[in-house]
Amino acid sequence: MPYLALRLDVPAGEVENWSDALLEGGALAVDAADANAGTSREVSLFGEPGSATEVWPQTRLTVLFDAASDAAAALARASARIALPAPAYSIEPVPDDDWVRRTQSQFAPVHASPRIWIVPTWCEPPDTAAINVRIDPGLAFGTGSHATTRLCLRWLDDSVSAGRRVLDYGCGSGILAIAAAKLGASEICAVDVDADAIASCSANAEANGVSLWCGTPDRLHSGVFDVVVANILANPLQQLAASLAARVRIGGDIVLSGVLEAEAAAVNAAYARWFNIDVWAKEEGWVSLAGRRNRDHG
């Protein structure tokens, strides 16, 4: 199938934010290169938030989308998500090179938590007795390979039991919602602002044989949940604090991921009004925060 390449130059300090936001918004891959030289490095392919280590003063991002995508609209959504103005950009077609087939070899089953494996659809589960979440990385929006997702999955494995009601906010591929369903949650709602993510989540839920509701935030029913999990980015998490808190019952739990260690204090402060919250776990420079809704706050 044909593809589109979106190209933009960004300062070194913005590379991770742009890469993460574009991948979460539907990009299939992001390649980073020195805008003044040409050395390139793949940030992530069919993946999740990246962990770039090389820095160039001005970095050229080449962002791959399928040909049916609106790459300009995806850039606008990413700009709004990270509160940075969109730079000048170009969009051009990319010849069909069967990117999905070429990159399948890069993905193997991920043992994300004691009981949960994330298994690409073309692989056999390593442990048939485990909780196996089948995901097609070619659909993007989350494959379980990134630390932020693994942190959430470990918390869910440790804390979700039969009968709990779970909201996955910013569901992407639905990987967290599907895992919650397989852990025994009685009601699972998955929301995302991106229509492609909603379609991906719905397809993955059907492929995994689980039942959940998936839609945009404005269509979500007015009830509260025992657990709200949000694996997005630090800035939107802070902006959504009051809205997400309102979705957690008194005594319920919230889990926040997509947060760098340096950002944890600010996110924690945004939620401390409603939750007894702190860093729950760390991995590869990322943290997850978990808290319980406190009747005395708010």
Side-chain angles (χ1 to χ4, degrees):
M1 100 182 174
Y3 298 89
L4 295 174
L6 167 71
R7 291 188 172 88
L8 59 153
D9 292 350
V10 301
E14 298 179 5
V15 169
E16 294 297 340
N17 284 341
W18 280 111
S19 299
D20 293 353
L22 286 162
L23 285 165
E24 290 181 357
L28 301 178
V30 178
D31 179 85
D34 185 348
N36 299 312
T39 304
S40 68
R41 171 190 45 76
E42 186 180 72
V43 174
S44 182
L45 185 54
F46 297 105
E48 296 144 312
S51 55
T53 55
E54 295 183 59
V55 175
W56 300 287
Q58 194 73 2
T59 300
R60 177 156 299 158
L61 298 182
T62 300
V63 188
L64 187 72
F65 291 89
D66 69 66
S69 297
D70 187 338
L75 178 63
R77 289 193 299 270
S79 174
R81 182 179 297 220
I82 63 177
L84 289 172
Y89 64 91
S90 65
I91 299 173
E92 60 187 64
V94 177
D96 187 357
D97 198 19
D98 195 1
W99 290 87
V100 175
R101 179 182 57 79
R102 281 180 50 191
T103 58
Q104 282 184 352
S105 61
Q106 299 180 26
F107 293 92
V110 175
H111 195 193
S113 73
R115 290 185 289 171
I116 299 172
W117 281 85
I118 308 303
V119 185
T121 53
W122 59 86
C123 295
E124 290 300 318
D127 181 359
T128 56
I131 295 173
N132 291 295
V133 178
R134 306 301 298 267
I135 295 290
D136 183 352
L139 294 175
F141 306 110
T143 64
S145 62
H146 194 264
T148 61
T149 306
R150 293 196 300 271
L151 288 166
C152 290
L153 288 168
R154 288 206 295 271
W155 190 95
L156 292 171
D157 191 353
D158 187 62
S159 304
V160 171
S161 54
R164 300 199 83 185
R165 295 161 295 161
V166 176
L167 170 63
D168 178 5
Y169 196 99
C171 62
S173 67
I175 192 169
L176 301 180
I178 293 166
K182 293 196 171 194
L183 287 164
S186 60
E187 177 190 356
I188 307 97
C189 291
V191 303
D192 204 289
V193 297
D194 191 287
D196 290 336
I198 293 169
S200 176
C201 178
S202 297
N204 283 324
E206 182 177 358
N208 280 273
V210 302
S211 177
L212 55 82
W213 179 91
C214 188
T216 53
D218 59 296
R219 296 183 57 208
L220 180 64
H221 68 69
S222 60
V224 295
F225 296 84
D226 300 303
V227 175
V228 170
V229 56
N231 180 23
I232 42 181
L233 294 170
N235 285 343
L237 283 175
Q238 292 174 69
Q239 295 166 10
L240 288 165
S243 297
L244 293 183
R247 289 294 186 173
V248 184
R249 68 168 177 82
I250 300 298
D253 297 299
I254 196 163
V255 186
L256 309 173
S257 195
V259 180
L260 292 165
E261 287 190 59
E263 301 167 329
V267 176
N268 191 90
Y271 286 80
R273 176 181 174 186
W274 301 278
F275 298 91
N276 293 322
I277 189 168
D278 206 346
V279 171
W280 181 76
K282 304 178 181 181
E283 185 176 340
E284 298 177 3
W286 298 90
V287 303
S288 65
L289 296 94
R292 182 147 293 174
R293 184 78 155 85
N294 190 325
R295 185 185 303 275
D296 298 327
H297 289 186

